[in-house]
PDB file of all heavy atoms in Angstrom:
ATOM      1  N   THR D1231      29.686  74.526  -2.700  1.00  0.00           N
ATOM      2  CA  THR D1231      29.601  73.482  -3.736  1.00  0.00           C
ATOM      3  C   THR D1231      30.965  72.988  -4.195  1.00  0.00           C
ATOM      4  O   THR D1231      31.128  71.842  -4.552  1.00  0.00           O
ATOM      5  CB  THR D1231      28.794  73.958  -4.928  1.00  0.00           C
ATOM      6  OG1 THR D1231      29.402  75.126  -5.461  1.00  0.00           O
ATOM      7  CG2 THR D1231      27.334  74.228  -4.590  1.00  0.00           C
ATOM      8  N   LYS D1232      31.948  73.863  -4.185  1.00  0.00           N
ATOM      9  CA  LYS D1232      33.264  73.447  -4.619  1.00  0.00           C
ATOM     10  C   LYS D1232      33.829  72.369  -3.689  1.00  0.00           C
ATOM     11  O   LYS D1232      34.450  71.426  -4.121  1.00  0.00           O
ATOM     12  CB  LYS D1232      34.211  74.645  -4.671  1.00  0.00           C
ATOM     13  CG  LYS D1232      33.942  75.555  -5.819  1.00  0.00           C
ATOM     14  CD  LYS D1232      34.953  76.664  -5.913  1.00  0.00           C
ATOM     15  CE  LYS D1232      34.630  77.547  -7.084  1.00  0.00           C
ATOM     16  NZ  LYS D1232      35.610  78.630  -7.200  1.00  0.00           N
ATOM     17  N   GLY D1233      33.623  72.494  -2.404  1.00  0.00           N
ATOM     18  CA  GLY D1233      34.124  71.469  -1.484  1.00  0.00           C
ATOM     19  C   GLY D1233      33.330  70.201  -1.548  1.00  0.00           C
ATOM     20  O   GLY D1233      33.866  69.117  -1.226  1.00  0.00           O
ATOM     21  N   MET D1234      32.075  70.271  -1.928  1.00  0.00           N
ATOM     22  CA  MET D1234      31.249  69.062  -2.007  1.00  0.00           C
ATOM     23  C   MET D1234      31.429  68.270  -3.252  1.00  0.00           C
ATOM     24  O   MET D1234      31.232  67.050  -3.242  1.00  0.00           O
ATOM     25  CB  MET D1234      29.743  69.447  -1.886  1.00  0.00           C
ATOM     26  CG  MET D1234      29.360  70.031  -0.545  1.00  0.00           C
ATOM     27  SD  MET D1234      29.492  68.791   0.751  1.00  0.00           S
ATOM     28  CE  MET D1234      28.275  67.607   0.263  1.00  0.00           C
ATOM     29  N   ARG D1235      31.806  68.897  -4.348  1.00  0.00           N
ATOM     30  CA  ARG D1235      31.885  68.164  -5.661  1.00  0.00           C
ATOM     31  C   ARG D1235      32.733  66.946  -5.595  1.00  0.00           C
ATOM     32  O   ARG D1235      32.394  65.933  -6.171  1.00  0.00           O
ATOM     33  CB  ARG D1235      32.377  69.109  -6.733  1.00  0.00           C
ATOM     34  CG  ARG D1235      31.340  70.109  -7.169  1.00  0.00           C
ATOM     35  CD  ARG D1235      31.852  70.903  -8.375  1.00  0.00           C
ATOM     36  NE  ARG D1235      30.941  71.981  -8.634  1.00  0.00           N
ATOM     37  CZ  ARG D1235      30.127  72.031  -9.638  1.00  0.00           C
ATOM     38  NH1 ARG D1235      30.135  71.086 -10.543  1.00  0.00           N
ATOM     39  NH2 ARG D1235      29.317  73.033  -9.810  1.00  0.00           N
ATOM     40  N   GLY D1236      33.870  66.990  -4.945  1.00  0.00           N
ATOM     41  CA  GLY D1236      34.748  65.832  -4.906  1.00  0.00           C
ATOM     42  C   GLY D1236      34.179  64.664  -4.096  1.00  0.00           C
ATOM     43  O   GLY D1236      34.623  63.566  -4.263  1.00  0.00           O
ATOM     44  N   ARG D1237      33.255  64.932  -3.222  1.00  0.00           N
ATOM     45  CA  ARG D1237      32.689  63.883  -2.363  1.00  0.00           C
ATOM     46  C   ARG D1237      31.358  63.366  -2.808  1.00  0.00           C
ATOM     47  O   ARG D1237      30.823  62.439  -2.204  1.00  0.00           O
ATOM     48  CB  ARG D1237      32.601  64.426  -0.928  1.00  0.00           C
ATOM     49  CG  ARG D1237      33.946  64.754  -0.372  1.00  0.00           C
ATOM     50  CD  ARG D1237      33.819  65.215   1.052  1.00  0.00           C
ATOM     51  NE  ARG D1237      33.154  66.566   1.024  1.00  0.00           N
ATOM     52  CZ  ARG D1237      33.170  67.409   2.039  1.00  0.00           C
ATOM     53  NH1 ARG D1237      33.703  67.085   3.176  1.00  0.00           N
ATOM     54  NH2 ARG D1237      32.604  68.597   1.928  1.00  0.00           N
ATOM     55  N   LEU D1238      30.771  63.962  -3.822  1.00  0.00           N
ATOM     56  CA  LEU D1238      29.461  63.527  -4.293  1.00  0.00           C
ATOM     57  C   LEU D1238      29.584  62.265  -5.132  1.00  0.00           C
ATOM     58  O   LEU D1238      30.521  62.114  -5.934  1.00  0.00           O
ATOM     59  CB  LEU D1238      28.777  64.614  -5.123  1.00  0.00           C
ATOM     60  CG  LEU D1238      28.420  65.874  -4.368  1.00  0.00           C
ATOM     61  CD1 LEU D1238      27.848  66.913  -5.297  1.00  0.00           C
ATOM     62  CD2 LEU D1238      27.423  65.587  -3.244  1.00  0.00           C
ATOM     63  N   ILE D1239      28.615  61.390  -5.019  1.00  0.00           N
ATOM     64  CA  ILE D1239      28.534  60.197  -5.820  1.00  0.00           C
ATOM     65  C   ILE D1239      27.773  60.520  -7.093  1.00  0.00           C
ATOM     66  O   ILE D1239      26.688  61.092  -7.016  1.00  0.00           O
ATOM     67  CB  ILE D1239      27.790  59.046  -5.061  1.00  0.00           C
ATOM     68  CG1 ILE D1239      28.571  58.698  -3.788  1.00  0.00           C
ATOM     69  CG2 ILE D1239      27.621  57.842  -5.941  1.00  0.00           C
ATOM     70  CD1 ILE D1239      27.810  57.771  -2.857  1.00  0.00           C
ATOM     71  N   ARG D1240      28.354  60.178  -8.231  1.00  0.00           N
ATOM     72  CA  ARG D1240      27.706  60.439  -9.489  1.00  0.00           C
ATOM     73  C   ARG D1240      26.843  59.234  -9.852  1.00  0.00           C
ATOM     74  O   ARG D1240      27.331  58.139 -10.024  1.00  0.00           O
ATOM     75  CB  ARG D1240      28.743  60.661 -10.585  1.00  0.00           C
ATOM     76  CG  ARG D1240      29.521  61.973 -10.399  1.00  0.00           C
ATOM     77  CD  ARG D1240      29.859  62.537 -11.765  1.00  0.00           C
ATOM     78  NE  ARG D1240      30.621  63.702 -11.606  1.00  0.00           N
ATOM     79  CZ  ARG D1240      30.115  64.941 -11.724  1.00  0.00           C
ATOM     80  NH1 ARG D1240      28.862  65.096 -11.977  1.00  0.00           N
ATOM     81  NH2 ARG D1240      30.876  65.989 -11.575  1.00  0.00           N
ATOM     82  N   LEU D1241      25.559  59.443  -9.940  1.00  0.00           N
ATOM     83  CA  LEU D1241      24.620  58.419 -10.316  1.00  0.00           C
ATOM     84  C   LEU D1241      24.473  58.425 -11.835  1.00  0.00           C
ATOM     85  O   LEU D1241      24.526  59.448 -12.502  1.00  0.00           O
ATOM     86  CB  LEU D1241      23.259  58.682  -9.671  1.00  0.00           C
ATOM     87  CG  LEU D1241      23.262  58.644  -8.126  1.00  0.00           C
ATOM     88  CD1 LEU D1241      21.903  59.057  -7.594  1.00  0.00           C
ATOM     89  CD2 LEU D1241      23.633  57.265  -7.614  1.00  0.00           C
ATOM     90  N   PRO D1242      24.207  57.237 -12.378  1.00  0.00           N
ATOM     91  CA  PRO D1242      24.063  57.132 -13.851  1.00  0.00           C
ATOM     92  C   PRO D1242      22.694  57.654 -14.303  1.00  0.00           C
ATOM     93  O   PRO D1242      21.745  57.683 -13.539  1.00  0.00           O
ATOM     94  CB  PRO D1242      24.174  55.629 -14.119  1.00  0.00           C
ATOM     95  CG  PRO D1242      23.738  55.003 -12.871  1.00  0.00           C
ATOM     96  CD  PRO D1242      24.167  55.920 -11.788  1.00  0.00           C
ATOM     97  N   GLU D1243      22.618  57.987 -15.614  1.00  0.00           N
ATOM     98  CA  GLU D1243      21.319  58.347 -16.215  1.00  0.00           C
ATOM     99  C   GLU D1243      20.488  57.056 -16.290  1.00  0.00           C
ATOM    100  O   GLU D1243      21.039  55.948 -16.267  1.00  0.00           O
ATOM    101  CB  GLU D1243      21.550  58.918 -17.600  1.00  0.00           C
ATOM    102  CG  GLU D1243      22.260  60.253 -17.595  1.00  0.00           C
ATOM    103  CD  GLU D1243      22.436  60.838 -18.977  1.00  0.00           C
ATOM    104  OE1 GLU D1243      21.892  60.283 -19.938  1.00  0.00           O
ATOM    105  OE2 GLU D1243      23.136  61.833 -19.084  1.00  0.00           O
ATOM    106  N   ALA D1244      19.166  57.242 -16.430  1.00  0.00           N
ATOM    107  CA  ALA D1244      18.316  56.054 -16.593  1.00  0.00           C
ATOM    108  C   ALA D1244      18.662  55.287 -17.825  1.00  0.00           C
ATOM    109  O   ALA D1244      19.050  55.866 -18.840  1.00  0.00           O
ATOM    110  CB  ALA D1244      16.819  56.542 -16.680  1.00  0.00           C
ATOM    111  N   ALA D1245      18.601  53.952 -17.699  1.00  0.00           N
ATOM    112  CA  ALA D1245      18.909  53.111 -18.868  1.00  0.00           C
ATOM    113  C   ALA D1245      17.622  52.748 -19.577  1.00  0.00           C
ATOM    114  O   ALA D1245      16.535  53.149 -19.207  1.00  0.00           O
ATOM    115  CB  ALA D1245      19.620  51.824 -18.350  1.00  0.00           C
ATOM    116  N   GLY D1246      17.781  51.916 -20.620  1.00  0.00           N
ATOM    117  CA  GLY D1246      16.597  51.451 -21.356  1.00  0.00           C
ATOM    118  C   GLY D1246      16.083  52.443 -22.327  1.00  0.00           C
ATOM    119  O   GLY D1246      16.702  53.449 -22.658  1.00  0.00           O
ATOM    120  N   ALA D1247      14.877  52.182 -22.792  1.00  0.00           N
ATOM    121  CA  ALA D1247      14.261  52.972 -23.822  1.00  0.00           C
ATOM    122  C   ALA D1247      14.017  54.403 -23.362  1.00  0.00           C
ATOM    123  O   ALA D1247      13.605  54.649 -22.207  1.00  0.00           O
ATOM    124  CB  ALA D1247      12.882  52.364 -24.218  1.00  0.00           C
ATOM    125  N   ASP D1248      14.316  55.384 -24.213  1.00  0.00           N
ATOM    126  CA  ASP D1248      14.081  56.782 -23.874  1.00  0.00           C
ATOM    127  C   ASP D1248      12.742  57.294 -24.418  1.00  0.00           C
ATOM    128  O   ASP D1248      12.542  58.467 -24.574  1.00  0.00           O
ATOM    129  CB  ASP D1248      15.239  57.657 -24.343  1.00  0.00           C
ATOM    130  CG  ASP D1248      15.447  57.620 -25.848  1.00  0.00           C
ATOM    131  OD1 ASP D1248      14.646  56.914 -26.548  1.00  0.00           O
ATOM    132  OD2 ASP D1248      16.356  58.284 -26.326  1.00  0.00           O
ATOM    133  N   SER D1249      11.853  56.351 -24.697  1.00  0.00           N
ATOM    134  CA  SER D1249      10.524  56.714 -25.140  1.00  0.00           C
ATOM    135  C   SER D1249       9.543  55.604 -24.747  1.00  0.00           C
ATOM    136  O   SER D1249       9.977  54.474 -24.447  1.00  0.00           O
ATOM    137  CB  SER D1249      10.482  56.904 -26.637  1.00  0.00           C
ATOM    138  OG  SER D1249      10.843  55.738 -27.325  1.00  0.00           O
ATOM    139  N   GLY D1250       8.265  55.920 -24.757  1.00  0.00           N
ATOM    140  CA  GLY D1250       7.286  54.947 -24.432  1.00  0.00           C
ATOM    141  C   GLY D1250       5.890  55.508 -24.650  1.00  0.00           C
ATOM    142  O   GLY D1250       5.710  56.644 -25.027  1.00  0.00           O
ATOM    143  N   THR D1251       4.853  54.667 -24.394  1.00  0.00           N
ATOM    144  CA  THR D1251       3.493  55.076 -24.556  1.00  0.00           C
ATOM    145  C   THR D1251       2.695  54.493 -23.393  1.00  0.00           C
ATOM    146  O   THR D1251       2.821  53.300 -23.100  1.00  0.00           O
ATOM    147  CB  THR D1251       2.912  54.631 -25.924  1.00  0.00           C
ATOM    148  OG1 THR D1251       3.705  55.142 -26.977  1.00  0.00           O
ATOM    149  CG2 THR D1251       1.492  55.134 -26.091  1.00  0.00           C
ATOM    150  N   THR D1252       1.836  55.276 -22.820  1.00  0.00           N
ATOM    151  CA  THR D1252       0.971  54.803 -21.741  1.00  0.00           C
ATOM    152  C   THR D1252      -0.338  54.264 -22.371  1.00  0.00           C
ATOM    153  O   THR D1252      -0.618  54.517 -23.520  1.00  0.00           O
ATOM    154  CB  THR D1252       0.598  55.943 -20.749  1.00  0.00           C
ATOM    155  OG1 THR D1252      -0.197  56.896 -21.438  1.00  0.00           O
ATOM    156  CG2 THR D1252       1.834  56.626 -20.186  1.00  0.00           C
ATOM    157  N   ASP D1253      -1.071  53.556 -21.575  1.00  0.00           N
ATOM    158  CA  ASP D1253      -2.413  53.123 -21.977  1.00  0.00           C
ATOM    159  C   ASP D1253      -3.326  54.313 -21.949  1.00  0.00           C
ATOM    160  O   ASP D1253      -3.129  55.293 -21.210  1.00  0.00           O
ATOM    161  CB  ASP D1253      -2.958  52.018 -21.064  1.00  0.00           C
ATOM    162  CG  ASP D1253      -2.156  50.727 -21.156  1.00  0.00           C
ATOM    163  OD1 ASP D1253      -1.614  50.463 -22.245  1.00  0.00           O
ATOM    164  OD2 ASP D1253      -2.126  50.000 -20.150  1.00  0.00           O
ATOM    165  N   GLY D1254      -4.382  54.278 -22.732  1.00  0.00           N
ATOM    166  CA  GLY D1254      -5.381  55.334 -22.748  1.00  0.00           C
ATOM    167  C   GLY D1254      -6.002  55.502 -24.113  1.00  0.00           C
ATOM    168  O   GLY D1254      -5.671  54.786 -25.062  1.00  0.00           O
ATOM    169  N   GLN D1255      -6.899  56.422 -24.178  1.00  0.00           N
ATOM    170  CA  GLN D1255      -7.637  56.694 -25.442  1.00  0.00           C
ATOM    171  C   GLN D1255      -6.723  57.373 -26.452  1.00  0.00           C
ATOM    172  O   GLN D1255      -5.934  58.194 -26.139  1.00  0.00           O
ATOM    173  CB  GLN D1255      -8.863  57.569 -25.185  1.00  0.00           C
ATOM    174  CG  GLN D1255      -9.895  56.921 -24.306  1.00  0.00           C
ATOM    175  CD  GLN D1255     -11.060  57.861 -24.041  1.00  0.00           C
ATOM    176  OE1 GLN D1255     -11.039  59.037 -24.332  1.00  0.00           O
ATOM    177  NE2 GLN D1255     -12.128  57.287 -23.447  1.00  0.00           N
ATOM    178  N   GLU D1256      -6.896  56.952 -27.691  1.00  0.00           N
ATOM    179  CA  GLU D1256      -6.194  57.601 -28.829  1.00  0.00           C
ATOM    180  C   GLU D1256      -7.033  58.775 -29.308  1.00  0.00           C
ATOM    181  O   GLU D1256      -8.219  58.806 -29.096  1.00  0.00           O
ATOM    182  CB  GLU D1256      -5.982  56.572 -29.941  1.00  0.00           C
ATOM    183  CG  GLU D1256      -5.115  55.382 -29.562  1.00  0.00           C
ATOM    184  CD  GLU D1256      -3.637  55.743 -29.342  1.00  0.00           C
ATOM    185  OE1 GLU D1256      -3.236  56.768 -29.959  1.00  0.00           O
ATOM    186  OE2 GLU D1256      -2.953  55.058 -28.658  1.00  0.00           O
ATOM    187  N   PRO D1257      -6.448  59.764 -29.937  1.00  0.00           N
ATOM    188  CA  PRO D1257      -5.009  59.824 -30.261  1.00  0.00           C
ATOM    189  C   PRO D1257      -4.176  60.173 -29.029  1.00  0.00           C
ATOM    190  O   PRO D1257      -4.605  60.868 -28.145  1.00  0.00           O
ATOM    191  CB  PRO D1257      -4.941  60.959 -31.280  1.00  0.00           C
ATOM    192  CG  PRO D1257      -6.098  61.844 -30.938  1.00  0.00           C
ATOM    193  CD  PRO D1257      -7.174  60.964 -30.414  1.00  0.00           C
ATOM    194  N   ALA D1258      -3.009  59.627 -29.035  1.00  0.00           N
ATOM    195  CA  ALA D1258      -2.091  59.870 -27.898  1.00  0.00           C
ATOM    196  C   ALA D1258      -1.595  61.339 -27.914  1.00  0.00           C
ATOM    197  O   ALA D1258      -1.337  61.901 -28.984  1.00  0.00           O
ATOM    198  CB  ALA D1258      -0.865  58.920 -27.984  1.00  0.00           C
ATOM    199  N   LEU D1259      -1.468  61.865 -26.718  1.00  0.00           N
ATOM    200  CA  LEU D1259      -0.823  63.162 -26.514  1.00  0.00           C
ATOM    201  C   LEU D1259       0.679  62.893 -26.638  1.00  0.00           C
ATOM    202  O   LEU D1259       1.188  62.001 -25.996  1.00  0.00           O
ATOM    203  CB  LEU D1259      -1.153  63.736 -25.162  1.00  0.00           C
ATOM    204  CG  LEU D1259      -0.451  65.022 -24.751  1.00  0.00           C
ATOM    205  CD1 LEU D1259      -1.028  66.168 -25.581  1.00  0.00           C
ATOM    206  CD2 LEU D1259      -0.628  65.297 -23.287  1.00  0.00           C
ATOM    207  N   ARG D1260       1.393  63.651 -27.465  1.00  0.00           N
ATOM    208  CA  ARG D1260       2.830  63.478 -27.647  1.00  0.00           C
ATOM    209  C   ARG D1260       3.571  64.436 -26.730  1.00  0.00           C
ATOM    210  O   ARG D1260       3.407  65.658 -26.899  1.00  0.00           O
ATOM    211  CB  ARG D1260       3.195  63.663 -29.115  1.00  0.00           C
ATOM    212  CG  ARG D1260       2.578  62.578 -30.010  1.00  0.00           C
ATOM    213  CD  ARG D1260       2.901  62.832 -31.483  1.00  0.00           C
ATOM    214  NE  ARG D1260       2.496  64.181 -31.889  1.00  0.00           N
ATOM    215  CZ  ARG D1260       1.335  64.471 -32.511  1.00  0.00           C
ATOM    216  NH1 ARG D1260       0.532  63.496 -32.837  1.00  0.00           N
ATOM    217  NH2 ARG D1260       1.099  65.698 -32.871  1.00  0.00           N
ATOM    218  N   MET D1261       4.352  63.897 -25.797  1.00  0.00           N
ATOM    219  CA  MET D1261       5.040  64.719 -24.845  1.00  0.00           C
ATOM    220  C   MET D1261       6.545  64.451 -24.887  1.00  0.00           C
ATOM    221  O   MET D1261       6.982  63.319 -24.821  1.00  0.00           O
ATOM    222  CB  MET D1261       4.539  64.365 -23.401  1.00  0.00           C
ATOM    223  CG  MET D1261       5.232  65.176 -22.328  1.00  0.00           C
ATOM    224  SD  MET D1261       4.640  64.680 -20.658  1.00  0.00           S
ATOM    225  CE  MET D1261       5.540  63.163 -20.449  1.00  0.00           C
ATOM    226  N   ALA D1262       7.316  65.538 -25.019  1.00  0.00           N
ATOM    227  CA  ALA D1262       8.765  65.424 -24.993  1.00  0.00           C
ATOM    228  C   ALA D1262       9.291  66.042 -23.681  1.00  0.00           C
ATOM    229  O   ALA D1262       8.765  67.092 -23.256  1.00  0.00           O
ATOM    230  CB  ALA D1262       9.368  66.184 -26.167  1.00  0.00           C
ATOM    231  N   VAL D1263      10.252  65.416 -23.106  1.00  0.00           N
ATOM    232  CA  VAL D1263      10.913  65.904 -21.882  1.00  0.00           C
ATOM    233  C   VAL D1263      12.325  66.218 -22.302  1.00  0.00           C
ATOM    234  O   VAL D1263      13.117  65.367 -22.711  1.00  0.00           O
ATOM    235  CB  VAL D1263      10.870  64.867 -20.744  1.00  0.00           C
ATOM    236  CG1 VAL D1263      11.561  65.436 -19.518  1.00  0.00           C
ATOM    237  CG2 VAL D1263       9.382  64.580 -20.423  1.00  0.00           C
ATOM    238  N   LEU D1264      12.702  67.464 -22.111  1.00  0.00           N
ATOM    239  CA  LEU D1264      14.001  67.978 -22.566  1.00  0.00           C
ATOM    240  C   LEU D1264      14.744  68.591 -21.416  1.00  0.00           C
ATOM    241  O   LEU D1264      14.145  69.301 -20.589  1.00  0.00           O
ATOM    242  CB  LEU D1264      13.677  69.121 -23.610  1.00  0.00           C
ATOM    243  CG  LEU D1264      14.821  69.955 -24.161  1.00  0.00           C
ATOM    244  CD1 LEU D1264      15.694  69.057 -25.096  1.00  0.00           C
ATOM    245  CD2 LEU D1264      14.296  71.131 -24.892  1.00  0.00           C
ATOM    246  N   GLY D1265      16.028  68.285 -21.297  1.00  0.00           N
ATOM    247  CA  GLY D1265      16.769  68.977 -20.226  1.00  0.00           C
ATOM    248  C   GLY D1265      17.980  68.328 -19.642  1.00  0.00           C
ATOM    249  O   GLY D1265      18.741  67.639 -20.381  1.00  0.00           O
ATOM    250  N   ASP D1266      18.210  68.524 -18.355  1.00  0.00           N
ATOM    251  CA  ASP D1266      19.446  68.113 -17.688  1.00  0.00           C
ATOM    252  C   ASP D1266      19.253  66.791 -16.937  1.00  0.00           C
ATOM    253  O   ASP D1266      18.419  65.961 -17.358  1.00  0.00           O
ATOM    254  CB  ASP D1266      19.922  69.233 -16.773  1.00  0.00           C
ATOM    255  CG  ASP D1266      18.875  69.705 -15.716  1.00  0.00           C
ATOM    256  OD1 ASP D1266      17.954  68.916 -15.428  1.00  0.00           O
ATOM    257  OD2 ASP D1266      19.023  70.784 -15.205  1.00  0.00           O
ATOM    258  N   SER D1267      19.920  66.622 -15.829  1.00  0.00           N
ATOM    259  CA  SER D1267      19.920  65.344 -15.104  1.00  0.00           C
ATOM    260  C   SER D1267      18.545  64.878 -14.642  1.00  0.00           C
ATOM    261  O   SER D1267      18.270  63.680 -14.629  1.00  0.00           O
ATOM    262  CB  SER D1267      20.915  65.431 -13.931  1.00  0.00           C
ATOM    263  OG  SER D1267      20.534  66.442 -13.046  1.00  0.00           O
ATOM    264  N   VAL D1268      17.695  65.822 -14.257  1.00  0.00           N
ATOM    265  CA  VAL D1268      16.363  65.400 -13.827  1.00  0.00           C
ATOM    266  C   VAL D1268      15.604  64.787 -14.989  1.00  0.00           C
ATOM    267  O   VAL D1268      15.001  63.707 -14.869  1.00  0.00           O
ATOM    268  CB  VAL D1268      15.590  66.615 -13.242  1.00  0.00           C
ATOM    269  CG1 VAL D1268      14.140  66.228 -12.956  1.00  0.00           C
ATOM    270  CG2 VAL D1268      16.246  67.145 -12.006  1.00  0.00           C
ATOM    271  N   ALA D1269      15.621  65.426 -16.146  1.00  0.00           N
ATOM    272  CA  ALA D1269      14.980  64.907 -17.347  1.00  0.00           C
ATOM    273  C   ALA D1269      15.696  63.608 -17.789  1.00  0.00           C
ATOM    274  O   ALA D1269      14.991  62.726 -18.339  1.00  0.00           O
ATOM    275  CB  ALA D1269      15.003  65.948 -18.447  1.00  0.00           C
ATOM    276  N   ALA D1270      16.970  63.506 -17.581  1.00  0.00           N
ATOM    277  CA  ALA D1270      17.730  62.331 -18.017  1.00  0.00           C
ATOM    278  C   ALA D1270      17.470  61.118 -17.096  1.00  0.00           C
ATOM    279  O   ALA D1270      17.967  60.001 -17.377  1.00  0.00           O
ATOM    280  CB  ALA D1270      19.229  62.636 -18.076  1.00  0.00           C
ATOM    281  N   GLY D1271      16.770  61.315 -16.011  1.00  0.00           N
ATOM    282  CA  GLY D1271      16.428  60.224 -15.134  1.00  0.00           C
ATOM    283  C   GLY D1271      17.549  59.765 -14.233  1.00  0.00           C
ATOM    284  O   GLY D1271      17.570  58.596 -13.839  1.00  0.00           O
ATOM    285  N   VAL D1272      18.487  60.669 -13.897  1.00  0.00           N
ATOM    286  CA  VAL D1272      19.606  60.271 -13.017  1.00  0.00           C
ATOM    287  C   VAL D1272      19.067  59.695 -11.714  1.00  0.00           C
ATOM    288  O   VAL D1272      18.214  60.261 -11.080  1.00  0.00           O
ATOM    289  CB  VAL D1272      20.514  61.468 -12.742  1.00  0.00           C
ATOM    290  CG1 VAL D1272      21.516  61.198 -11.657  1.00  0.00           C
ATOM    291  CG2 VAL D1272      21.274  61.872 -14.032  1.00  0.00           C
TER     292      VAL D1272
END
């Protein structure tokens, strides 16, 4: 990994709203996604 780090392309985190609501029956299930690059939408 040390040799690869300098050659890897860094992708940005997902842009736009960091929250939303899907269609469906109420009451809505409230879901939080917490974490690193996968959760950040890189």
Side-chain angles (χ1 to χ4, degrees):
T1231 58
K1232 287 184 180 180
M1234 291 296 295
R1235 285 186 190 251
R1237 296 182 290 196
L1238 293 177
I1239 298 170
R1240 293 211 182 260
L1241 297 173
E1243 294 181 8
D1248 60 1
S1249 62
T1251 304
T1252 66
D1253 292 332
Q1255 295 178 350
E1256 296 290 337
L1259 175 71
R1260 295 176 306 261
M1261 180 182 75
V1263 178
L1264 174 72
D1266 58 21
S1267 58
V1268 173
V1272 167

